[in-house]
Amino acid sequence: MQVAQRLEGVGEYYFSQKLREIDAMNQAGKQVINLGIGSPDLPPHPSVIATLQAEAAKPNTHAYQNYKGSPVFRNAIARWYQKWYQVTLQPEQEILPLIGSKEGIMHICMTYINPGDAVLLPDPGYPTYKSAATIAGARVVTYPLHEKNNWFPDLEALERSDLTNVKLMFVNYPQMPTGQLPSIGLFERLVAFARRNGILLVHDNPYSFILNDSPMSLLSIEGAKEVVIELNSLSKSQNMAGWRIGMLVGDKQRIDEVLRFKSNMDSGMFLPVQLAAAKALSLGKDWYDSVNAVYKARRKKVFELLDLLHCDYSKEQVGMFMWAKVASPTLPKEENKHPLGIGGALSDEVLYNANVFITPGGIFGTAGNSYIRISLCSTEEKIAESVERVKKFLAIKK
Ligand SMILES: Cc1ncc(COP(=O)(O)O)c(C=O)c1O
């Protein structure tokens, strides 16, 4: 059977392929430590789980739900945005709960893209932007992010390029995979750029609480609602990745447009999940501090691992990964020809010789080829064990 043309150029998600390979290594007794995926290993707050349990035990919580989500959840999102981002949202009109923000990326592309429309995507950036835009029939135009420019886009260069038919631009700060924080100046320049060029900015904002005390929303910039919609998520900051809870926020008209597509795709979220999510969003600073204390301790160990691997990295990064430049000049020439660059070669070397998986930066775009990314979603013990395994391998290699 021939698959549809829209899937041309869209392969299996890298991690889904890699996890199969790691499973096979584990079946062969390797006990691989996976420092790749950004799925929090810690549970949500106990009150969140208690809410889910109590609500699921009631007889009247099992029906189909409103396509726009429960008012309790939408009000909780509005209060959360006001408290942490100083952004005022109308809960009835400017908020759309999502089954994870990943689905929102697809819905947005399907809502706005006609075949041939162009979409601007960051390189390096979250791979789902590219696959969703491709499936929707977009012409994908990547904009490079460079370390020397703080991983910010060069908007002047972009403006000198041909922006005809560019309809959407995805941006994501704190940036994944580079861990770069935004600045108010960057956000203001982005909004002005979008307005001048008639582009809808899609800001993907799932990491703003991780290792960061000053979460920012692109919607906090004056007039932003005219040109910005923002995705957010409970996956990372509330340790609820498997629950699949996200949100799209923005102008009423944009929300209604995306809802027109989404309401044809699913039939709402399980009410107890929404009520538990509302509980999670009401948690105070202690919750975020407790999550971040764990990541800080792990990050120290990751620094050790990166030093062993001769990588350069910034200690200012935020989010749940460490992004680092591979500086090793010792790799044989042929390894430099790895399809994912020197980062891919190092990742393979560490996987096959030390049974530790780290993500090659090249999977986020060619601008990431000289980099690797290490997740903070493993225990300190596991990271310490990785350090020992890599030390042993490096000693043998000498
Ligand atoms: C940049 C970025 N956006 C979105 C997502 C998806 O998050 P969610 O679990 O809300 O679908 C991820 C998950 O890894 C991510 O890294």
Side-chain angles (χ1 to χ4, degrees):
M1 186 59 113
Q2 197 78 27
V3 298
Q5 279 171 2
R6 72 176 67 86
L7 286 183
E8 258 171 39
V10 179
E12 187 183 355
Y13 196 53
Y14 171 83
F15 279 115
S16 128
Q17 244 176 50
K18 203 69 194 178
L19 285 179
R20 250 201 329 272
E21 190 184 343
I22 292 172
D23 274 349
M25 288 178 71
N26 284 336
Q27 270 163 27
K30 303 280 191 197
Q31 298 188 327
V32 174
I33 298 178
N34 187 343
L35 302 181
I37 274 189
S39 180
D41 55 318
L42 296 170
H45 192 277
S47 64
V48 174
I49 295 169
T51 305
L52 175 71
Q53 286 169 330
E55 294 299 332
K58 293 180 183 168
N60 59 347
T61 54
H62 303 276
Y64 285 127
Q65 291 299 310
N66 182 339
Y67 291 102
K68 253 188 163 177
S70 142
V72 176
F73 183 33
R74 273 186 277 116
N75 280 312
I77 293 173
R79 281 195 298 274
W80 189 62
Y81 255 82
Q82 190 71 61
K83 175 172 176 179
W84 296 100
Y85 299 112
Q86 294 78 51
V87 168
T88 305
L89 296 170
Q90 299 308 322
E92 292 300 317
Q93 300 177 331
E94 297 181 322
I95 295 174
L96 180 61
L98 298 172
I99 305 175
S101 59
K102 188 172 179 179
E103 73 149 9
I105 297 168
M106 190 74 227
H107 295 338
I108 291 164
C109 290
M110 294 301 278
T111 300
Y112 293 109
I113 298 301
N114 283 317
D117 285 341
V119 178
L120 294 173
L121 304 178
D123 176 7
Y126 183 44
T128 297
Y129 306 143
K130 185 171 174 193
S131 34
T134 305
I135 290 169
R139 183 164 60 84
V140 167
V141 180
T142 53
Y143 59 91
L145 304 177
H146 297 294
E147 195 165 356
K148 62 177 187 313
N149 200 24
N150 286 329
W151 304 107
F152 288 174
D154 182 344
L155 294 175
E156 285 172 15
L158 259 181
E159 219 148 14
R160 285 194 300 273
S161 69
D162 180 11
L163 294 177
T164 332
N165 296 334
V166 173
K167 206 156 182 197
L168 300 178
M169 176 179 187
F170 279 85
V171 283
N172 155 232
Y173 291 94
Q175 216 263 342
M176 200 295 297
T178 63
Q180 176 65 50
L181 270 171
S183 68
I184 292 180
L186 168 71
F187 275 2
E188 286 173 345
R189 288 193 298 281
L190 279 168
V191 168
F193 169 84
R195 184 169 289 128
R196 274 197 305 277
N197 295 287
I199 293 171
L200 179 63
L201 280 178
V202 183
H203 184 230
D204 184 21
N205 197 14
Y207 293 104
S208 58
F209 288 87
I210 307 296
L211 291 174
N212 178 33
D213 288 331
S214 316
M216 274 173 74
S217 162
L218 187 49
L219 287 170
S220 64
I221 302 302
E222 213 185 317
K225 270 185 204 160
E226 290 163 29
V227 288
V228 174
I229 51 178
E230 185 163 278
L231 291 160
N232 215 318
S233 171
L234 278 72
S235 293
K236 323 286 176 174
S237 47
Q238 269 75 21
N239 289 341
M240 295 170 80
W243 292 53
R244 311 309 301 131
I245 313 163
M247 67 200 76
L248 177 68
V249 299
D251 184 74
K252 172 187 187 313
Q253 211 176 322
R254 300 289 90 72
I255 296 295
D256 287 346
E257 287 157 358
V258 176
L259 181 63
R260 203 164 138 192
F261 180 79
K262 177 175 157 64
S263 58
N264 285 292
M265 290 294 107
D266 67 68
S267 302
M269 285 155 87
F270 186 37
L271 182 61
V273 165
Q274 297 192 58
L275 299 176
K279 182 81 196 172
L281 293 184
S282 73
L283 296 170
K285 188 169 179 303
D286 326 355
W287 164 256
Y288 299 104
D289 287 349
S290 69
V291 169
N292 284 327
V294 173
Y295 287 131
K296 270 182 199 154
R298 292 175 178 181
R299 184 170 61 174
K300 265 199 192 151
K301 282 270 149 220
V302 170
F303 289 159
E304 254 182 73
L305 183 56
L306 289 172
D307 291 339
L308 264 180
L309 293 170
H310 303 290
C311 291
D312 293 328
Y313 54 90
S314 154
K315 291 191 172 171
E316 309 295 307
Q317 6 183 343
V318 304
M320 53 176 46
F321 306 99
M322 282 299 297
W323 177 247
K325 186 162 191 180
V326 179
S328 167
T330 56
L331 285 171
K333 266 217 176 81
E334 64 275 14
E335 290 194 12
N336 285 332
K337 290 195 192 123
H338 191 285
L340 294 173
I342 191 171
L346 182 64
S347 167
D348 279 353
E349 192 178 31
V350 173
L351 177 61
Y352 301 133
N353 296 290
N355 297 325
V356 174
F357 175 62
I358 52 183
T359 307
I363 71 158
F364 304 105
T366 49
N369 274 357
S370 301
Y371 294 81
I372 53 168
R373 190 197 74 169
I374 297 187
S375 163
L376 300 177
C377 297
S378 283
T379 60
E380 262 184 273
E381 291 71 28
K382 282 242 169 81
I383 303 169
E385 165 72 13
S386 308
V387 168
E388 291 314 309
R389 289 187 188 184
V390 168
K391 265 188 196 159
K392 218 185 260 171
F393 154 59
L394 291 176
I396 295 168
K397 197 178 163 193
K398 267 187 193 160

